[in-house]
Amino acid sequence: MEALTAAKVVRRVRKRIEVSQEGLARLLNATKGAVQHWERGRNNPDLARLNALRQLCPPGAERKDLDSLIKQTQSRLAPLPDIKPGDLKAGESGSAGTIGIPGGSFIYLRRENHKLQRQVTRLESLVQRRTEQLRILEDLATELQREMAKLRATHEVAAPAAVASVSTPTQE
């Protein structure tokens, strides 16, 4: 079995959902250049973007590969410590003042969680703005349809009157 790389997985998923690099960049709130770098193996997408990509990917082999990549990324970013239940006593803490876990994993997880929460907040505000823009466009389209209907009605009323005035002979 070939090695699982982010470049191959991102490209396969993008092809599976049938979007361009630019389209994928828009969906993941990234730049086209970032997607290009991911697919070339220069950089790897962050965990939040991998999870967002997973939401877009339909079930299948690509999604399984993506799940594996997400697990691999999670284990690389925040490895779970090898602690047995009896190893730590109550009140004992590891390095950097973490809560019972050596290596500062909880602090790192809190930071990552905070980053993800900020990104979710940004995405939610973007969705709200886009929804408002869509509503405005729909209102404008409705107004244009009304105006067109009025113009057609006026044109239809004016056309028979013009035809009637031309067809009736004038008496002098």
Side-chain angles (χ1 to χ4, degrees), residues 8-75:
K8 291 177 185 174
V9 172
V10 170
R11 180 176 295 232
R12 285 182 60 200
V13 169
R14 180 179 63 81
K15 299 256 184 202
R16 171 72 190 272
I17 60 177
E18 299 175 352
V19 294
S20 64
Q21 288 180 337
E22 187 173 353
L24 184 63
R26 284 187 186 138
L27 290 170
L28 298 179
N29 198 21
T31 63
K32 181 181 173 187
V35 174
Q36 289 174 345
H37 283 274
W38 299 339
E39 289 189 1
R40 291 179 183 156
R42 292 182 181 168
N43 292 336
N44 291 326
D46 59 16
L47 195 54
R49 291 205 169 98
L50 287 174
N51 282 323
L53 189 58
R54 184 184 184 282
Q55 295 292 324
L56 298 171
C57 184
E62 292 83 4
R63 190 164 182 174
K64 288 180 183 179
D65 289 344
L66 190 54
D67 286 340
S68 298
L69 180 63
I70 289 171
K71 286 180 184 176
Q72 182 183 48
T73 304
Q74 284 175 331
S75 66

Side-chain angles (χ1 to χ4, degrees), residues 54-117:
R54 184 184 184 282
Q55 295 292 324
L56 298 171
C57 184
E62 292 83 4
R63 190 164 182 174
K64 288 180 183 179
D65 289 344
L66 190 54
D67 286 340
S68 298
L69 180 63
I70 289 171
K71 286 180 184 176
Q72 182 183 48
T73 304
Q74 284 175 331
S75 66
R76 182 176 45 84
L77 291 176
L80 295 175
D82 226 8
I83 297 178
K84 295 177 182 78
D87 285 352
L88 291 176
K89 297 177 181 91
E92 182 179 326
S93 64
S95 65
T98 59
I99 308 167
I101 298 209
S105 293
F106 276 156
I107 289 175
Y108 183 77
L109 288 175
R110 273 188 269 160
R111 284 184 196 142
E112 285 299 309
N113 188 29
H114 184 65
K115 284 184 200 175
L116 290 174
Q117 287 174 345

Side-chain angles (χ1 to χ4, degrees), residues 2 9 12 20 25 27 41 75 86 93 117 132 134-136 139 142 156 163:
E2 71 182 51
V9 172
R12 285 182 60 200
S20 64
L27 290 170
S75 66
S93 64
Q117 287 174 345
E132 180 63 19
L134 181 61
R135 186 194 61 75
I136 290 169
D139 290 346
T142 304
E156 289 170 2
V163 170

